[in-house]
Amino acid sequence: MATTDVTYAVTGASGRLGGRVARRLADAGIPQTLLARTPERTPSLPGATVVPGAFGDRDAVVRGLRGVDRVLMVSAAESPDRLEQHRAFVDAAAEAGVGHLVYISFYGAAPEATFTLARDHWRTEQHIRSSGLEFTFLRDNLYADFVPALVGEDGVIRGPGGTGRAAVVAQDDIAEAATAVLTHADEHAGAGYDLTGPQSLTFAEIAAVVTEATGRAVRYEPETLDEAYRSRARYGAPDWQLDAWVSTYTAVAAGELDGVTDDIPRLTGRPATSLAELLRRDAAAY
């Protein structure tokens, strides 16, 4: 899969996506550094060395990435200062002499994207471009794995998504694509890939897929913007977080998450996982 003299590092290994990539590298017998904000939460994997390195801790990141050829940068947890954390990490990676940075971005990342957090992804991409680092961007659509969390206790998906479509993508597919890019980084220098599932679905269609795959009756009820903000206000989240939650749906309504690509099949060598397949597989695991 990769030459033994290439060194690797993965961020976010305690999370869902970074952990999937780290496990794939470990299963392939590839040594790696796991750069972690909280090392005690990082999985113990064969051939993996865990080192501390929060994104904003420049000195720790430089130490952790010194001598590393290829790095998977999983975007930091959502926060008001996430962009600043990203910029600090990129600067530290450049200072450490990293050879290639693979960044987990977002589908439709743009300066005026409807989804507010997609704007930060675009700004991160621009900072990476200006850093002098070799790079590859993986722009993920909405995670298919999170679809069940959209369903309320009453079996309703609510949001201002209208009849827009999203090409939801499985995290396992993203992890396989990221692993393929990392281990063959020279073939993907300067590239950006839009990672999607095999279908672009409305929320009504997503509800129908959940119903059929799980046996639970689920339906979609569109909300207005005012209704969306009021229904989420009870969580006491800050304004920036509410904007992010609501704009996930309005980005879909605006058509900014529509469109199926063949990037997953081209990178992994197999078809992308459908939402129905993912839900059935997860149900069978319990």
Side-chain angles (χ1 to χ4, degrees):
M1 176 180 281
T3 56
T4 56
D5 58 345
V6 175
T7 53
Y8 296 83
V10 172
T11 73
S14 61
R16 295 171 182 263
L17 186 54
R20 281 172 162 85
V21 176
R23 284 190 290 274
R24 282 166 170 77
L25 292 175
D27 289 345
I30 299 175
Q32 61 187 306
T33 296
L34 304 180
L35 194 69
R37 180 172 60 88
T38 51
E40 63 276 11
R41 292 181 53 200
T42 303
S44 177
L45 298 172
T49 301
V50 179
V51 299
F55 273 22
D57 188 339
R58 185 181 183 116
D59 291 342
V61 173
V62 171
R63 286 194 301 270
L65 296 184
R66 187 78 72 185
V68 173
D69 298 309
R70 302 172 185 176
V71 176
L72 177 70
M73 178 185 174
V74 179
S75 52
E78 297 176 4
S79 69
D81 67 341
R82 180 161 72 160
L83 180 57
E84 287 71 25
Q85 292 182 48
H86 285 180
R87 286 171 170 161
F89 180 87
V90 171
D91 291 344
E95 182 178 337
V98 166
H100 195 119
L101 187 68
V102 179
Y103 173 58
I104 302 295
S105 187
F106 190 78
Y107 189 95
E112 304 299 329
T114 300
F115 178 43
T116 55
L117 300 184
R119 304 169 195 170
D120 286 348
H121 283 290
W122 182 83
R123 295 184 179 97
T124 300
E125 288 186 9
Q126 302 315 301
H127 195 71
I128 293 170
R129 290 182 186 276
S130 67
S131 70
L133 289 164
E134 200 65 78
F135 64 86
T136 306
F137 300 143
L138 303 180
R139 303 185 183 105
D140 307 341
N141 209 286
L142 294 180
Y143 292 154
D145 309 67
F146 288 178
V147 163
L150 301 178
V151 183
E153 294 181 0
D154 57 356
V156 179
I157 300 174
R158 292 183 175 86
T163 58
R165 296 177 178 274
V168 296
V169 60
Q171 287 183 318
D172 277 335
D173 287 357
I174 298 169
E176 287 191 25
T179 304
V181 169
L182 275 172
T183 53
H184 299 84
D186 292 347
E187 301 173 17
H188 306 284
Y193 297 103
D194 293 327
L195 304 186
T196 75
Q199 298 170 298
S200 200
L201 304 169
T202 67
F203 282 108
E205 290 170 339
I206 286 172
V209 171
V210 175
T211 298
E212 182 177 358
T214 68
R216 179 188 182 191
V218 174
R219 70 182 190 279
Y220 170 58
E221 289 186 3
E223 291 180 310
T224 66
L225 274 178
D226 286 343
E227 288 170 340
Y229 276 98
R230 285 200 303 270
S231 66
R232 290 156 178 78
R234 61 190 176 91
Y235 295 106
D239 288 346
W240 70 266
Q241 185 73 73
L242 287 173
D243 289 341
W245 289 344
V246 173
S247 65
T248 303
Y249 289 89
T250 55
V252 173
E256 294 176 16
L257 281 84
D258 193 6
V260 172
T261 76
D262 65 351
D263 287 346
I264 289 285
R266 287 198 297 122
L267 292 171
T268 67
R270 64 167 185 77
T273 305
S274 70
L275 176 61
E277 180 184 353
L278 173 68
L279 293 174
R280 288 194 294 265
R281 186 186 67 199
D282 287 354
Y286 294 99

